[in-house]
mmCIF file of all heavy atoms in Angstrom:
data_model
loop_
_atom_site.group_PDB
_atom_site.id
_atom_site.type_symbol
_atom_site.label_atom_id
_atom_site.label_comp_id
_atom_site.label_asym_id
_atom_site.label_seq_id
_atom_site.Cartn_x
_atom_site.Cartn_y
_atom_site.Cartn_z
ATOM 1 N N GLY W 1 35.389 -2.801 -1.802
ATOM 2 C CA GLY W 1 34.935 -2.998 -0.478
ATOM 3 C C GLY W 1 36.000 -2.667 0.595
ATOM 4 O O GLY W 1 35.976 -3.222 1.694
ATOM 5 N N VAL W 2 36.921 -1.743 0.241
ATOM 6 C CA VAL W 2 37.929 -1.420 1.289
ATOM 7 C C VAL W 2 37.753 -0.026 1.897
ATOM 8 O O VAL W 2 38.581 0.380 2.710
ATOM 9 C CB VAL W 2 39.405 -1.462 0.591
ATOM 10 C CG1 VAL W 2 39.699 -2.884 0.261
ATOM 11 C CG2 VAL W 2 39.541 -0.554 -0.532
ATOM 12 N N GLY W 3 36.727 0.667 1.601
ATOM 13 C CA GLY W 3 36.376 1.947 2.221
ATOM 14 C C GLY W 3 36.777 3.151 1.472
ATOM 15 O O GLY W 3 36.937 4.242 2.045
ATOM 16 N N LYS W 4 37.034 3.068 0.190
ATOM 17 C CA LYS W 4 37.491 4.228 -0.635
ATOM 18 C C LYS W 4 36.491 5.417 -0.528
ATOM 19 O O LYS W 4 36.882 6.497 -0.328
ATOM 20 C CB LYS W 4 37.636 3.827 -2.095
ATOM 21 C CG LYS W 4 38.770 2.798 -2.357
ATOM 22 C CD LYS W 4 38.825 2.360 -3.821
ATOM 23 C CE LYS W 4 37.602 1.644 -4.290
ATOM 24 N NZ LYS W 4 37.431 0.290 -3.778
ATOM 25 N N SER W 5 35.184 5.087 -0.682
ATOM 26 C CA SER W 5 34.186 6.106 -0.638
ATOM 27 C C SER W 5 34.116 6.701 0.725
ATOM 28 O O SER W 5 33.929 7.878 0.826
ATOM 29 C CB SER W 5 32.852 5.569 -1.084
ATOM 30 O OG SER W 5 32.865 5.174 -2.374
ATOM 31 N N THR W 6 34.180 5.920 1.776
ATOM 32 C CA THR W 6 34.155 6.381 3.120
ATOM 33 C C THR W 6 35.286 7.317 3.366
ATOM 34 O O THR W 6 35.160 8.478 3.975
ATOM 35 C CB THR W 6 34.167 5.267 4.112
ATOM 36 O OG1 THR W 6 33.048 4.421 3.795
ATOM 37 C CG2 THR W 6 34.096 5.795 5.604
ATOM 38 N N VAL W 7 36.560 6.978 2.932
ATOM 39 C CA VAL W 7 37.707 7.813 3.115
ATOM 40 C C VAL W 7 37.531 9.063 2.341
ATOM 41 O O VAL W 7 37.838 10.167 2.829
ATOM 42 C CB VAL W 7 38.979 7.051 2.638
ATOM 43 C CG1 VAL W 7 40.215 8.000 2.553
ATOM 44 C CG2 VAL W 7 39.261 5.977 3.635
ATOM 45 N N ALA W 8 37.011 8.992 1.067
ATOM 46 C CA ALA W 8 36.909 10.188 0.312
ATOM 47 C C ALA W 8 35.911 11.197 0.811
ATOM 48 O O ALA W 8 36.189 12.376 0.863
ATOM 49 C CB ALA W 8 36.433 9.775 -1.141
ATOM 50 N N VAL W 9 34.742 10.680 1.376
ATOM 51 C CA VAL W 9 33.745 11.549 1.945
ATOM 52 C C VAL W 9 34.327 12.266 3.219
ATOM 53 O O VAL W 9 34.164 13.439 3.425
ATOM 54 C CB VAL W 9 32.495 10.768 2.267
ATOM 55 C CG1 VAL W 9 31.580 11.508 3.229
ATOM 56 C CG2 VAL W 9 31.730 10.482 1.044
ATOM 57 N N ASN W 10 34.958 11.467 4.099
ATOM 58 C CA ASN W 10 35.491 12.092 5.289
ATOM 59 C C ASN W 10 36.551 13.025 5.012
ATOM 60 O O ASN W 10 36.700 14.063 5.725
ATOM 61 C CB ASN W 10 35.970 10.909 6.225
ATOM 62 C CG ASN W 10 34.806 10.222 6.922
ATOM 63 O OD1 ASN W 10 34.146 10.882 7.750
ATOM 64 N ND2 ASN W 10 34.605 9.010 6.652
ATOM 65 N N LEU W 11 37.418 12.754 4.105
ATOM 66 C CA LEU W 11 38.519 13.719 3.726
ATOM 67 C C LEU W 11 37.909 14.995 3.100
ATOM 68 O O LEU W 11 38.375 16.084 3.477
ATOM 69 C CB LEU W 11 39.458 12.943 2.722
ATOM 70 C CG LEU W 11 40.645 13.755 2.222
ATOM 71 C CD1 LEU W 11 41.582 14.177 3.392
ATOM 72 C CD2 LEU W 11 41.472 12.955 1.242
ATOM 73 N N ALA W 12 36.920 14.840 2.238
ATOM 74 C CA ALA W 12 36.310 16.024 1.606
ATOM 75 C C ALA W 12 35.623 16.925 2.697
ATOM 76 O O ALA W 12 35.846 18.116 2.654
ATOM 77 C CB ALA W 12 35.339 15.547 0.567
ATOM 78 N N VAL W 13 34.876 16.285 3.596
ATOM 79 C CA VAL W 13 34.193 17.126 4.572
ATOM 80 C C VAL W 13 35.130 17.725 5.556
ATOM 81 O O VAL W 13 35.006 18.897 5.970
ATOM 82 C CB VAL W 13 33.120 16.242 5.312
ATOM 83 C CG1 VAL W 13 32.558 16.937 6.516
ATOM 84 C CG2 VAL W 13 32.034 15.758 4.415
ATOM 85 N N ALA W 14 36.167 17.005 5.974
ATOM 86 C CA ALA W 14 37.203 17.593 6.815
ATOM 87 C C ALA W 14 37.890 18.790 6.223
ATOM 88 O O ALA W 14 38.136 19.773 6.838
ATOM 89 C CB ALA W 14 38.290 16.487 7.220
ATOM 90 N N LEU W 15 38.227 18.641 4.913
ATOM 91 C CA LEU W 15 38.937 19.726 4.201
ATOM 92 C C LEU W 15 37.982 20.916 4.149
ATOM 93 O O LEU W 15 38.353 22.091 4.312
ATOM 94 C CB LEU W 15 39.379 19.326 2.829
ATOM 95 C CG LEU W 15 40.597 18.415 2.800
ATOM 96 C CD1 LEU W 15 40.767 17.810 1.415
ATOM 97 C CD2 LEU W 15 41.843 19.110 3.246
ATOM 98 N N ALA W 16 36.670 20.669 3.822
ATOM 99 C CA ALA W 16 35.728 21.792 3.757
ATOM 100 C C ALA W 16 35.542 22.492 5.132
ATOM 101 O O ALA W 16 35.434 23.655 5.219
ATOM 102 C CB ALA W 16 34.332 21.238 3.248
ATOM 103 N N ASN W 17 35.477 21.686 6.180
ATOM 104 C CA ASN W 17 35.520 22.231 7.564
ATOM 105 C C ASN W 17 36.640 23.089 7.874
ATOM 106 O O ASN W 17 36.525 23.929 8.690
ATOM 107 C CB ASN W 17 35.240 21.128 8.553
ATOM 108 C CG ASN W 17 33.838 20.544 8.542
ATOM 109 O OD1 ASN W 17 32.902 21.123 8.013
ATOM 110 N ND2 ASN W 17 33.682 19.341 9.161
ATOM 111 N N ASP W 18 37.777 22.752 7.269
ATOM 112 C CA ASP W 18 39.010 23.594 7.507
ATOM 113 C C ASP W 18 38.988 24.865 6.593
ATOM 114 O O ASP W 18 40.005 25.564 6.565
ATOM 115 C CB ASP W 18 40.208 22.730 7.208
ATOM 116 C CG ASP W 18 40.697 22.092 8.495
ATOM 117 O OD1 ASP W 18 40.201 22.335 9.525
ATOM 118 O OD2 ASP W 18 41.657 21.361 8.388
ATOM 119 N N GLY W 19 37.949 25.048 5.724
ATOM 120 C CA GLY W 19 37.895 26.225 4.895
ATOM 121 C C GLY W 19 38.227 26.017 3.469
ATOM 122 O O GLY W 19 38.250 27.005 2.714
ATOM 123 N N ALA W 20 38.546 24.852 3.058
ATOM 124 C CA ALA W 20 38.911 24.618 1.695
ATOM 125 C C ALA W 20 37.690 24.570 0.801
ATOM 126 O O ALA W 20 36.638 24.184 1.281
ATOM 127 C CB ALA W 20 39.705 23.298 1.494
ATOM 128 N N LYS W 21 37.822 24.939 -0.439
ATOM 129 C CA LYS W 21 36.761 24.745 -1.438
ATOM 130 C C LYS W 21 36.931 23.349 -1.908
ATOM 131 O O LYS W 21 37.918 23.067 -2.534
ATOM 132 C CB LYS W 21 36.847 25.786 -2.565
ATOM 133 C CG LYS W 21 36.447 27.218 -2.064
ATOM 134 C CD LYS W 21 36.501 28.144 -3.216
ATOM 135 C CE LYS W 21 36.127 29.519 -2.774
ATOM 136 N NZ LYS W 21 36.176 30.489 -3.915
ATOM 137 N N VAL W 22 35.865 22.524 -1.798
ATOM 138 C CA VAL W 22 36.058 21.138 -2.118
ATOM 139 C C VAL W 22 35.005 20.620 -3.022
ATOM 140 O O VAL W 22 33.795 20.935 -2.840
ATOM 141 C CB VAL W 22 36.092 20.231 -0.837
ATOM 142 C CG1 VAL W 22 36.227 18.767 -1.107
ATOM 143 C CG2 VAL W 22 37.036 20.703 0.220
ATOM 144 N N GLY W 23 35.442 19.820 -4.030
ATOM 145 C CA GLY W 23 34.497 19.151 -4.903
ATOM 146 C C GLY W 23 34.832 17.630 -4.859
ATOM 147 O O GLY W 23 35.960 17.221 -4.783
ATOM 148 N N LEU W 24 33.808 16.863 -4.887
ATOM 149 C CA LEU W 24 33.911 15.422 -4.860
ATOM 150 C C LEU W 24 33.267 14.752 -6.024
ATOM 151 O O LEU W 24 32.093 14.974 -6.282
ATOM 152 C CB LEU W 24 33.324 14.878 -3.516
ATOM 153 C CG LEU W 24 33.333 13.359 -3.240
ATOM 154 C CD1 LEU W 24 34.808 12.831 -3.225
ATOM 155 C CD2 LEU W 24 32.666 13.057 -1.916
ATOM 156 N N VAL W 25 34.048 13.964 -6.803
ATOM 157 C CA VAL W 25 33.459 13.281 -8.041
ATOM 158 C C VAL W 25 33.456 11.860 -7.738
ATOM 159 O O VAL W 25 34.397 11.247 -7.292
ATOM 160 C CB VAL W 25 34.333 13.598 -9.250
ATOM 161 C CG1 VAL W 25 33.837 12.849 -10.507
ATOM 162 C CG2 VAL W 25 34.428 15.072 -9.485
ATOM 163 N N ASP W 26 32.210 11.242 -7.886
ATOM 164 C CA ASP W 26 32.039 9.767 -7.658
ATOM 165 C C ASP W 26 31.665 9.149 -9.033
ATOM 166 O O ASP W 26 30.614 9.433 -9.568
ATOM 167 C CB ASP W 26 30.804 9.604 -6.694
ATOM 168 C CG ASP W 26 30.485 8.165 -6.478
ATOM 169 O OD1 ASP W 26 31.266 7.291 -6.725
ATOM 170 O OD2 ASP W 26 29.246 7.968 -6.150
ATOM 171 N N ALA W 27 32.627 8.436 -9.572
ATOM 172 C CA ALA W 27 32.420 7.792 -10.832
ATOM 173 C C ALA W 27 32.323 6.252 -10.708
ATOM 174 O O ALA W 27 32.717 5.563 -11.621
ATOM 175 C CB ALA W 27 33.571 8.144 -11.732
ATOM 176 N N ASP W 28 31.916 5.764 -9.579
ATOM 177 C CA ASP W 28 31.810 4.327 -9.278
ATOM 178 C C ASP W 28 30.583 3.816 -9.933
ATOM 179 O O ASP W 28 29.513 3.927 -9.372
ATOM 180 C CB ASP W 28 31.823 4.077 -7.824
ATOM 181 C CG ASP W 28 31.895 2.581 -7.462
ATOM 182 O OD1 ASP W 28 31.670 1.740 -8.353
ATOM 183 O OD2 ASP W 28 32.178 2.334 -6.232
ATOM 184 N N ILE W 29 30.610 3.139 -11.069
ATOM 185 C CA ILE W 29 29.458 2.715 -11.808
ATOM 186 C C ILE W 29 28.875 1.397 -11.148
ATOM 187 O O ILE W 29 27.734 1.170 -11.393
ATOM 188 C CB ILE W 29 29.706 2.531 -13.328
ATOM 189 C CG1 ILE W 29 30.814 1.395 -13.556
ATOM 190 C CG2 ILE W 29 30.177 3.760 -13.987
ATOM 191 C CD1 ILE W 29 31.020 0.983 -14.945
ATOM 192 N N TYR W 30 29.703 0.751 -10.328
ATOM 193 C CA TYR W 30 29.120 -0.471 -9.751
ATOM 194 C C TYR W 30 28.437 -0.284 -8.466
ATOM 195 O O TYR W 30 27.626 -1.085 -8.007
ATOM 196 C CB TYR W 30 30.272 -1.504 -9.571
ATOM 197 C CG TYR W 30 30.812 -2.004 -10.913
ATOM 198 C CD1 TYR W 30 32.095 -1.587 -11.307
ATOM 199 C CD2 TYR W 30 30.089 -2.748 -11.730
ATOM 200 C CE1 TYR W 30 32.588 -1.941 -12.579
ATOM 201 C CE2 TYR W 30 30.510 -3.205 -12.983
ATOM 202 C CZ TYR W 30 31.777 -2.787 -13.356
ATOM 203 O OH TYR W 30 32.344 -3.168 -14.516
ATOM 204 N N GLY W 31 28.703 0.777 -7.698
ATOM 205 C CA GLY W 31 28.132 0.995 -6.445
ATOM 206 C C GLY W 31 28.284 2.469 -5.989
ATOM 207 O O GLY W 31 29.083 2.711 -5.058
ATOM 208 N N PRO W 32 27.719 3.413 -6.668
ATOM 209 C CA PRO W 32 27.892 4.796 -6.309
ATOM 210 C C PRO W 32 27.179 5.195 -5.033
ATOM 211 O O PRO W 32 25.960 5.279 -5.005
ATOM 212 C CB PRO W 32 27.295 5.597 -7.509
ATOM 213 C CG PRO W 32 26.295 4.613 -8.071
ATOM 214 C CD PRO W 32 26.832 3.273 -7.782
#
């Protein structure tokens, strides 16, 4: 509940918007 997924999504989208090829893996079995 500290915002890991929110940080990961925002970081991934920001990098993609800057032109990076980005993949995001979500392995959170308790709350994907």
Side-chain angles (χ1 to χ4, degrees):
V2 294
K4 297 176 293 288
S5 295
T6 303
V7 168
V9 165
N10 282 296
L11 183 59
V13 172
L15 288 168
N17 285 342
D18 270 353
K21 290 183 181 179
V22 181
L24 180 58
V25 177
D26 175 23
D28 186 346
I29 59 173
Y30 295 108

